């Protein structure tokens, strides 16, 4: 038993990471398995810490080692907090759960400068203008839509792209030039459960316009050399192939090392209300200072992100 406590959890965590890193995620099944493997290590560290604490009670082992194991589950959110009534909120709202009035009331209560809704569940937010959307475009499912809402007193130039991906799985992205930065809102085509081929052309489109963390050319409403802040649903976990590819754009993961503290899916909305994966990301130019927080959205399977720029 003592050997099990000492060696098995960290060995299992390491094997999950190694297999996940080298597994070719070229099918629906291997993509899903890779996501599980790459997301397993903080859970193994949680198990290891709990076992070590039990061993400390039973066999007099050092409490400090168990505490260190628990810290390896992820670093709790630190740094400046987001001021309520400000910032940019990005939320995947789940197009299929209804309860539109509840969502409309919730979105109003967020009291943000900008609200970005990934998937189409409501068409308006009181006291805000819908400045860009793709609601007029014909798409296979309402979950492929995106809309950007700005406070009626805010000046913001926004854009929502046409659908990008494969013939059966394509999504739009959003752009916002706000506070002299290019905010990029993503909803990457999900490889599960139907089609793994839509992700690459979607990310290639972003890569064509972003280099070293800045915009490389005039891009819809964004301008050359604007620092990039990318927020949204990547439909991929940290260290997966899509995540590694997008990190090559010169962006910094603002939620790195967060482990269990920033898991965002599934969070209800017809799924279990117990986040196991981080699908929703905040990536930015390394010199950009941000405050951010996660919160739950009524009847959605994703947690939302509120982001505030600190070095405007």
């Amino acid at each position: 038993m003592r050997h099990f406590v000492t060696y098995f959890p960290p060995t299992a965590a390491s094997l999950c990471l190694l297999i996940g890193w080298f597994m070719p995620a070229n099918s629906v099944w291997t993509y899903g398995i890779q996501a599980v493997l790459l997301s397993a290590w903080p859970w193994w560290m949680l198990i290891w810490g709990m076992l070590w604490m039990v061993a400390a009670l039973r066999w007099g082992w050092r409490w400090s080692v168990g505490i260190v194991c628990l810290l390896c589950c992820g670093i709790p959110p630190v740094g400046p907090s987001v001021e309520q009534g400000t910032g940019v909120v990005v939320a995947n709202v789940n197009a299929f759960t209804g309860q539109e009035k509840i969502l409309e009331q919730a979105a109003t209560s967020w009291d943000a400068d900008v609200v970005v809704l990934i998937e189409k569940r409501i068409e308006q937010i009181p006291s805000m203008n819908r400045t860009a959307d793709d609601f007029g475009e014909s798409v296979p499912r309402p979950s492929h839509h995106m809309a950007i809402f700005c406070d009626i007193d805010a000046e913001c130039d926004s854009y929502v792209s046409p659908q990008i991906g494969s013939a059966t799985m394509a999504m739009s992205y959003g752009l916002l030039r706000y506070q002299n930065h290019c905010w990029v809102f993503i909803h990457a085509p999900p490889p599960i459960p139907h089609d793994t081929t839509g992700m690459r052309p979607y990310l290639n489109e972003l890569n064509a316009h972003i280099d070293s963390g800045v915009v490389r050319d005039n891009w819809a409403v964004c301008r050359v050399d604007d620092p990039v802040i990318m927020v949204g649903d990547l439909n991929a976990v940290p260290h997966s192939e899509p995540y590694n590819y997008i990190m090559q754009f010169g962006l910094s993961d603002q939620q790195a090392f967060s482990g269990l503290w920033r898991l965002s899916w599934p969070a209800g909305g017809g799924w279990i209300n117990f986040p196991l994966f981080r699908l929703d990301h905040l990536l930015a130019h390394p010199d950009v200072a941000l405050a951010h927080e996660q919160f739950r959205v009524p009847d959605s399977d994703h947690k939302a992100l509120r982001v505030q720029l600190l070095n405007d």
Side-chain angles (χ1 to χ4, degrees):
M1 179 63 182
R2 298 188 183 206
H3 291 295
F4 177 88
V5 172
T6 304
Y7 299 113
F8 183 77
T11 301
S14 300
L15 285 175
C16 285
L17 281 177
L18 286 172
I19 295 171
W21 281 336
F22 293 105
M23 172 179 286
N26 51 11
S27 71
V28 169
W29 283 106
T30 56
Y31 189 92
I33 293 171
Q34 183 191 58
V36 171
L37 292 173
L38 291 176
S39 301
W41 68 267
W43 297 103
W44 281 116
M45 300 310 291
L46 175 64
I47 292 170
W48 196 23
M50 295 174 65
L51 288 175
W52 204 282
M53 302 300 274
V54 171
L57 290 171
R58 184 171 181 180
W59 299 314
W61 288 13
R62 292 182 180 273
W63 287 90
S64 58
V65 178
I67 294 172
V68 169
C69 297
L70 290 174
L71 289 176
C72 290
C73 298
I75 301 173
V78 295
S81 59
V82 182
E83 295 180 13
Q84 297 303 307
T86 65
V88 176
V89 168
V90 182
N92 185 321
V93 297
N94 192 337
F96 305 107
T97 54
Q99 303 292 343
E100 290 84 359
K101 287 296 181 183
I102 292 176
L103 177 60
E104 190 175 301
Q105 292 169 2
T108 304
S109 72
W110 297 338
D111 193 22
D113 297 323
V114 179
V115 172
V116 180
L117 300 185
I118 298 170
E119 304 195 10
K120 182 181 180 182
R121 197 167 131 206
I122 58 175
E123 297 189 10
Q124 63 179 4
I125 301 175
S127 78
M128 304 194 83
N129 294 323
R130 194 174 77 220
T131 57
D133 63 76
D134 60 356
F135 289 171
E137 185 172 349
S138 176
V139 300
R141 295 157 69 87
S143 56
H144 293 213
H145 283 298
M146 180 181 292
I148 300 172
F149 298 80
C150 291
D151 184 271
I152 56 175
D153 296 324
E155 294 184 8
C156 52
D157 297 324
S158 56
Y159 165 81
V160 172
S161 76
Q163 304 285 296
I164 300 168
S166 67
T168 61
M169 186 57 68
M171 300 287 186
S172 56
Y173 63 82
L175 297 177
L176 173 74
R177 192 169 195 270
Y178 187 59
Q179 299 173 318
N180 298 314
H181 288 65
C182 181
W183 297 70
V184 183
F185 308 115
I186 58 172
H187 187 203
I192 295 175
H194 302 296
D195 182 0
T196 62
T197 64
M199 178 78 76
R200 176 60 67 163
Y202 186 94
L203 298 184
N204 284 345
E205 166 67 14
L206 301 179
N207 188 32
H209 299 285
I210 303 171
D211 183 40
S212 301
V214 300
V215 177
R216 65 167 71 188
D217 56 3
N218 288 334
W219 182 21
V221 298
C222 292
R223 297 294 173 259
V224 176
D225 294 331
D226 283 348
V228 170
I229 302 169
M230 184 178 293
V231 198
D233 179 8
L234 180 58
N235 274 312
V237 300
H239 309 298
S240 62
E241 181 181 349
Y243 173 90
N244 292 337
Y245 179 51
I246 213 166
M247 291 299 290
Q248 294 175 17
F249 300 178
L251 302 174
S252 173
D253 187 349
Q254 301 289 305
Q255 302 179 102
F257 309 112
S258 59
L260 301 180
W261 295 93
R262 281 294 184 249
L263 301 179
S264 63
W265 185 91
W271 298 77
I272 61 170
N273 193 355
F274 190 81
L276 298 169
F277 304 96
R278 176 154 67 95
L279 302 183
D280 301 271
H281 299 266
L282 172 58
L283 313 172
H285 187 285
D287 294 336
V288 173
L290 299 169
H292 63 279
E293 64 180 6
Q294 277 187 347
F295 62 91
R296 294 181 181 273
V297 177
D299 300 298
S300 176
D301 52 337
H302 288 256
K303 289 184 179 180
L305 275 164
R306 183 192 291 265
V307 183
Q308 181 183 4
L309 181 64
L310 299 177
N311 61 346
D312 182 23

